[in-house]
Amino acid sequence: MTSTASAPTRDLYRPGLHYTPAKNWMNDPNGLVFHQGVYHLFYQHNPFGTDWGNMSWGHATSTDLHTWTEQPVAIPCDDDEAVFSGSAVVDERNTSGLGNGSAAPMVAVYTSAYAKESSRPGVQAQSLAYSLDEGRTWTKYAGNPVLDRGSSDFRDPKVFWYDGPAGAYWVMAAVEAAEQRVLLHKSADLIHWEYLSDFAADGPPDSVWECPDLFELPIDGDAARTVWVLIVSVNPGGVAGGSGTRYFLGSFDGVRFTEESARPSAAPAGEPPLRGSWLDWGRDYYAAVSFDGLAQRRVMMGWMNNWDYAAATPTGVWRSAMSLPREITVRTANGHSRLVQTPIVPPAASSTASDEVLGADSGSGRRAVLATTAPGKVHRARISASAAAAATFGLRIGGPGTGGARLIVDPAAGEIRLDRRDSGRVDFHEHFPSIERAPLEAGERIDLEVYIDACSLEVFVQGGLATITDLVFPHGPDTEIEFFADPSVVLSTVEVAVLG
Ligand code: FRU
């Protein structure tokens, strides 16, 4: 049968796996919560345009973290307030009294950014909205706001249920953004909040702190030894310029977070010291927060963009994608306890080991196109290699005959670089062309895993000890994934998979 319908057109930069709203603007992930087999992703959303504004909570759901279904706007802005970032919990014990006897309320704790013409002009305070139908419909709490310091920069509440030596209660981490402080409060009912403590650290003076998160993780999988992780997004002042996400490691006693390195006797005898760092070394991983409700697992998602140029990215009717979901664990490596990030992706539909580049080298190094991408297709490249100090290897991701984005492993420099200056469309903003650098704590072998999905590259170095997330906007649909290596590089794996 001959069809007269034209082939469906996909927009060039629409990812296959990373979440994007069908239309309009998106920024931070909000209210990540897992309940009754469903992952809820709420997010900062402008329902009316592709620029930031009319901030409301958009909503998408998934049962596997791979496929997302967009839902109606969950919590809209109104004349009084914009609905800024925050978190969601399921109040199983109905501590808030917002339940109806049969359903545990899903409670969103968000920042009311009050309009100039409202009763609290310019104030940012914390408010509640609740849902009695698994996140489908929402009601703003009549007694909002529930926590108001009269501040114009108090925002981004992340709430969790603390149950430890100090008692059992809700804890909220939120920022005084311009003062670069995380404030902790506690509550028995999500409605009445009492100040606990605050946390600050060095940073550039013009930066703001945003979107904190605080959670506990076992060290090397041993539940008897745990560490608390405090996440803070900073803008500007990110490691690669503009927006970036930091983490601190330490302890939380139910009142105060103490960074481990700040203690006189950092780690108990025989224990490796803890170390905080950057959660990602790229330009485009911001406002990352974790899911509530996953018991022992900790899964985070970030906004794949940067406030430096987010308003100018050339994606058409939608703007911004979320990162892949990443499971976070703590592993001891090179004498330090470090965060490890493992992407959660569907199994490969097909994969090809590249024998031609694994074979003996002619003396001038190796170069081979491993795959060519097509819109909607998601590729994963895996490379394991060891390289003498002076040798480099990596990937070029770009159209035939173009420079492309270049990922270069450079053991002599102790770093891995992602150079996107010639990656395609880069001229939409002066701050977009850039080179990112992640430290390479090279052992014998270097392992890379790279996810290539339309407009983004996510690089996991050494099994997730470091990551680099960058947007790229190739000129055309046929982007080559090309491998290159200096002569002395010893390869054990070069493989490309298409993820199904
Ligand atoms: C972070 C942020 C938050 C704020 C939200 C507004 O990207 O600036 O601090 O709540 O975006 O959209």
Side-chain angles (χ1 to χ4, degrees), residues 24-27 30 43-58 73-79 81-84 111 113 140:
N24 295 328
W25 169 273
M26 174 174 80
N27 57 289
N30 294 154
Y43 49 87
Q44 287 288 279
H45 187 44
N46 178 357
F48 308 111
T50 51
D51 294 321
W52 187 88
N54 306 304
M55 294 324 292
S56 301
W57 279 26
V73 168
I75 313 177
C77 61
D78 57 32
D79 289 347
E81 63 173 21
V83 180
F84 273 17
T111 298
K140 289 182 178 174

Side-chain angles (χ1 to χ4, degrees), residues 357 361 363-368 383 385-387 391-395 482-491 494:
V357 294
D361 151 46
S364 59
R366 280 159 281 193
R367 183 170 281 276
I383 304 168
S386 56
T392 64
F393 64 93
L395 292 175
E482 184 179 17
F483 175 80
F484 57 85
D486 284 344
S488 62
V489 173
V490 179
L491 302 169
V494 177

